[in-house]
Amino acid sequence: NFMLTQPHSVSESPGKTVTISCTRSSGSIATNYVQWYQQRPGSSPTTVIYEDNQRPSGVPDRFSGSTDTSSNSASLTISGLKTEDEADYYCQSYDNNKQCWVFGGGTKLTVL
Amino acid sequence: QEQLQESGPGLVQPSETLSLSCTVSGGSISRTGYYWGWIRQPPGKGLEWIASIHYSGNSFYNPSLKSRLTISVDTSKNHFSLRLSSVTAADTALYYCARWSMLDRQGWHFDLWGRGTLATVSA
């Protein structure tokens, strides 16, 4: 099955924009939807992006998702950073061949 | 408001079987459009999908754990369960139950999570 690789950590200042990447190791990123989950310390994950670029109700439009077949990766972009965005972010997709759900290793976002 | 609540033993002896249960409240587990699953998170580490099951019994397993796993669903009790055999310290983790939505109006994602139950493997 494929792997999803994320940077271990990113940091940016409040009000700025940050992008977190998620690279698929084999097979096309376009084959299956990519989801993004936010996990604040001590809390369960919640969805910020589903189906590559859709936001659940209640998620601010500062969060956006995209995919790029040339780099075989998905990206989560957070604009107008707030201290409350500080969290771990996980990408997730589905492996048709192995019939299993796959998570990236997670990225720790620090807003300083 | 629909909720998921995990339950488990807390402490498990090495080589024994970890048994976990997830109770669905506020809604029926017997609905089309959902898979019910388990995801774990070792202390300080990332998320790992373990297994998922449909109320019909159709199930999927993480290939790396499959030989030690059994997932089941009990629609009469509105809950689903996981058994992980031959546990080692590497199985120590916070175990979440989560719902995978396949409904167009809700989107395809893990849209509902429990708070997690910590399982520690230690003698």
Side-chain angles (χ1 to χ4, degrees), chain A residues 1 33 35 37 39 43-47 50-51 56 90 92 94 98-105, chain B residues 35 39 41 45-49 52 60-61 63 96 100 106-111 113-116:
Chain A
N1 48 319
Y33 287 131
Q35 284 61 242
Y37 302 91
Q39 186 179 34
S43 296
S44 304
T46 60
T47 306
Y50 66 93
E51 294 178 15
Y90 295 90
Q92 173 266 311
Y94 184 77
K98 297 289 186 179
Q99 294 186 311
C100 65
W101 284 259
V102 180
F103 283 95
Chain B
Y35 269 81
I39 294 160
Q41 185 170 37
K45 296 188 178 181
L47 302 171
E48 180 182 32
W49 172 77
S52 293
F60 299 100
Y61 294 99
Y96 293 101
W100 174 261
Q106 289 178 217
W108 291 48
H109 60 125
F110 288 108
D111 71 333
W113 297 67
R115 297 183 68 176

Side-chain angles (χ1 to χ4, degrees), chain B residues 13-25:
Chain B
Q13 300 285 320
S15 80
E16 299 206 333
T17 296
L18 169 63
S19 295
L20 301 169
S21 183
C22 180
T23 299
V24 179
S25 61

Side-chain angles (χ1 to χ4, degrees), chain B residues 1-5 22-28 31 36 78 112:
Chain B
Q1 183 179 355
E2 195 158 0
Q3 293 183 334
L4 303 180
Q5 178 66 58
C22 180
T23 299
V24 179
S25 61
S28 173
R31 286 170 289 173
W36 306 90
N78 221 40
L112 182 66

Side-chain angles (χ1 to χ4, degrees), chain B residues 80-120:
Chain B
F80 60 104
S81 301
L82 183 78
R83 289 170 56 86
L84 176 64
S85 64
S86 305
V87 297
T88 69
D91 296 309
T92 293
L94 186 62
Y95 286 76
Y96 293 101
C97 58
R99 182 179 75 183
W100 174 261
S101 164
M102 300 183 297
L103 298 175
D104 288 342
R105 66 179 182 272
Q106 289 178 217
W108 291 48
H109 60 125
F110 288 108
D111 71 333
L112 182 66
W113 297 67
R115 297 183 68 176
T117 183
L118 181 63
T120 302

Side-chain angles (χ1 to χ4, degrees), chain B residues 27-87:
Chain B
S28 173
I29 201 171
S30 302
R31 286 170 289 173
T32 57
Y34 297 114
Y35 269 81
W36 306 90
W38 293 94
I39 294 160
R40 70 181 181 180
Q41 185 170 37
K45 296 188 178 181
L47 302 171
E48 180 182 32
W49 172 77
I50 302 171
S52 293
I53 191 166
H54 188 260
Y55 80 90
S56 64
N58 189 35
S59 59
F60 299 100
Y61 294 99
N62 185 319
S64 67
L65 300 169
K66 186 175 183 178
S67 63
R68 299 194 290 133
L69 287 172
T70 303
I71 190 170
S72 59
V73 62
D74 187 334
T75 56
S76 67
K77 296 181 179 178
N78 221 40
H79 78 184
F80 60 104
S81 301
L82 183 78
R83 289 170 56 86
L84 176 64
S85 64
S86 305
V87 297

